[in-house]
Amino acid sequence: SGSMIAYSSNDGTASESIIGQLSAGTYYIRVYPYSGNTNYNLAVSATGGGGDWFSQNLRDAGLISTARSLASDGNLSRNDMISIFRNAEDGSVIDATELTDIRTLVSNASRFTMADYVRVLSNNIANTNTANQWWTGGGSTRQTLGNLYAGSSATQMERLIGKWFSGLDRPTAASGTTYRSCSGSLLQSGVSYQDINQGNLGDCYLLAALAGTAYRTPSTIQNMFTDNGDGTFTVRFFRNGVANYVTVDRYLPTTASGSFYYANRDRGLLYNNTGNELWVALAERAYAQINESGWIGQDNTNSYNGVDGGTLSAISHITGLSNTGYISPLNTSELVRAYNANQITYLSDGGHAYTLVGYNSSTGVFTVYNPWGHTETYTNTQMTSKFVSFGYSGSRV
């Protein structure tokens, strides 16, 4: 856009005024002579970013029109980007021009005040991600998917949208389980470490980290999740302190009787109970999914088995904080120091992970949360007898 400016000069004195706003385009200026010593000159100067950004930076007419319209409010939202990706499917193929254009939009995320999770997920679609190699679509058979390329089909684009924005690429689960859409809500009464309940998966390291985070900074758990308003949730993890994201839907593995197979197994509620609190089970599923991106230190598969057994690096992935790893042998004085410093503190008995959630300096009694769903108390002597190592969270990575 631009403004028409009127310049006048009379006896060496200059002045200017804005005549009106002009839309982008080419204009011809006519100067009329005037009797006397005064000349009037008109000029057009750009005031809105040097013209229409979309026509200058994009080449596909359909994408130019769609992106310009969707960004008229100054923002490209999650739904806007889904619409843009689908616009590129015209003709059932994403050609080289369309591919370049959507990559240009993603690389200019800050121009469109794009939310961080929208930028990251859009980048996974438009560019590359290790997890793009395969697609299950909620089944058990892995199908080749691949990164988007010039000549990609509309089917591939839809699968990438489904994978990153709709949570349709569900982790491979145990034989005999069935994915069902689960009733309930993300949170029932706020975030609590007591929401943690381990199921048929050896991921106590992850659940202990979630419990410790819920105990110390419940807001971190709340901010982990973005409710997309369509039955999906985008879940945040940190890679070396930088936020990364994956999307899950409400489908979770259940038994033939309708009970949860993994987290929430022992809560006694079936998948269709409106009293279900889902955040723990959804975080567990999201961790299984993001494993496929190849950076959490597991086997890089989109599967629950892929996160069976692990390390307390999960604390860094959940919080963005560093962690000490396990320190052996257990030193209760150092453990108390870390606990009193409000750090997430965790313990190991050599085969199972726990979270420290209380210490009474008067009695010397420690309260420990077991991810199996209950608290346990120990004296100083019992602590050194029960646990072989401990650790705690540190500073921001």
Side-chain angles (χ1 to χ4, degrees):
S1 62
S3 297
M4 179 173 286
I5 310 297
Y7 293 91
S8 65
S9 177
N10 188 3
D11 298 330
T13 301
S15 64
E16 66 178 51
S17 61
I18 297 177
I19 300 300
Q21 294 295 317
L22 300 175
S23 59
T26 301
Y27 296 88
Y28 297 92
I29 301 171
R30 179 175 296 175
V31 179
Y32 292 91
Y34 184 76
S35 60
N37 296 322
T38 302
N39 293 319
Y40 292 85
N41 299 291
L42 300 178
V44 175
S45 61
T47 60
D52 179 77
W53 184 93
F54 300 94
S55 59
Q56 289 185 1
N57 291 275
L58 307 180
R59 293 184 296 162
D60 181 83
L63 284 173
I64 290 172
S65 177
T66 297
R68 182 191 289 126
S69 175
L70 293 173
S72 61
D73 59 355
N75 171 257
L76 286 177
S77 67
R78 169 183 178 268
N79 289 338
D80 290 341
M81 289 307 299
I82 291 173
S83 295
I84 286 169
F85 286 129
R86 286 182 170 152
N87 180 272
E89 295 175 3
D90 60 339
S92 298
V93 66
I94 293 82
D95 62 34
T97 298
E98 291 166 330
L99 181 61
T100 298
D101 283 355
I102 60 177
R103 286 175 174 173
T104 297
L105 287 168
V106 172
S107 66
N108 284 274
S110 60
R111 169 180 287 273
F112 305 112
T113 59
M114 200 181 294
D116 190 53
Y117 80 96
V118 176
R119 176 189 63 82
V120 171
L121 297 180
S122 295
N123 185 67
N124 291 343
I125 294 172
N127 290 292
T128 63
N129 189 285
T130 301
N132 289 346
Q133 183 176 0
W134 303 105
W135 164 262
T136 59
S140 58
T141 303
R142 307 295 283 164
Q143 304 172 48
T144 301
L145 179 57
N147 294 312
L148 207 63
Y149 63 93
S152 284
S153 66
T155 297
Q156 184 185 5
M157 174 68 92
E158 280 301 315
R159 287 180 174 178
L160 286 167
I161 293 170
K163 185 183 189 78
W164 294 110
F165 278 123
S166 301
L168 296 180
D169 196 12
R170 301 168 190 137
T172 301
S175 176
T177 61
T178 301
Y179 270 99
R180 290 187 172 99
S181 180
C182 296
S183 301
S185 34
L186 184 68
L187 303 173
Q188 287 286 358
S189 55
V191 173
S192 169
Y193 67 87
Q194 293 174 314
D195 297 334
I196 305 294
N197 178 245
Q198 188 176 351
N200 295 305
L201 189 66
D203 61 347
C204 57
Y205 69 96
L206 171 65
L207 298 187
L210 287 171
T213 305
Y215 176 64
R216 286 301 186 193
T217 57
S219 61
T220 299
I221 298 294
Q222 291 174 322
N223 294 333
M224 241 179 115
F225 295 89
T226 298
D227 187 342
N228 296 315
D230 60 357
T232 70
F233 301 88
T234 298
V235 187
R236 181 195 65 196
F237 293 102
F238 290 94
R239 180 182 185 181
N240 297 324
V242 178
N244 212 292
Y245 305 88
V246 68
T247 302
V248 298
D249 58 18
R250 299 176 70 94
Y251 283 74
L252 293 165
T254 62
T255 65
S257 63
S259 60
F260 292 93
Y261 187 81
Y262 296 113
N264 287 2
R265 179 192 64 185
D266 298 328
R267 293 299 186 198
L269 301 179
L270 299 181
Y271 75 95
N272 56 358
N273 194 301
T274 57
N276 286 321
E277 185 169 43
L278 300 175
W279 76 264
V280 179
L282 293 179
E284 181 183 56
R285 183 192 140 171
Y287 202 62
Q289 283 179 218
I290 211 163
N291 176 36
E292 194 177 28
S293 291
W295 56 266
I296 68 170
Q298 298 295 116
D299 70 352
N300 307 336
T301 64
N302 183 10
S303 68
Y304 279 95
N305 280 344
V307 294
D308 186 272
T311 70
L312 261 296
S313 59
I315 286 179
S316 294
H317 301 154
I318 295 164
T319 65
L321 302 173
S322 64
N323 75 88
T324 60
Y326 283 113
I327 300 170
S328 185
L330 181 69
N331 180 318
T332 54
S333 295
E334 180 64 10
L335 182 64
V336 169
R337 182 212 62 76
Y339 176 80
N340 287 337
N342 295 320
Q343 292 170 297
I344 299 169
T345 46
Y346 47 89
L347 304 142
S348 173
D349 63 7
H352 190 54
Y354 304 73
T355 302
L356 182 62
V357 295
Y359 174 68
N360 188 318
S361 59
S362 298
T363 63
V365 172
F366 295 83
T367 302
V368 174
Y369 189 73
N370 187 327
W372 290 343
H374 59 270
T375 55
E376 304 167 358
T377 56
Y378 299 93
T379 65
N380 189 80
T381 301
Q382 289 171 330
M383 286 287 286
T384 55
S385 175
K386 168 78 172 177
F387 300 106
V388 298
S389 59
F390 77 104
Y392 50 87
S393 63
S395 59
R396 184 67 57 184
V397 173

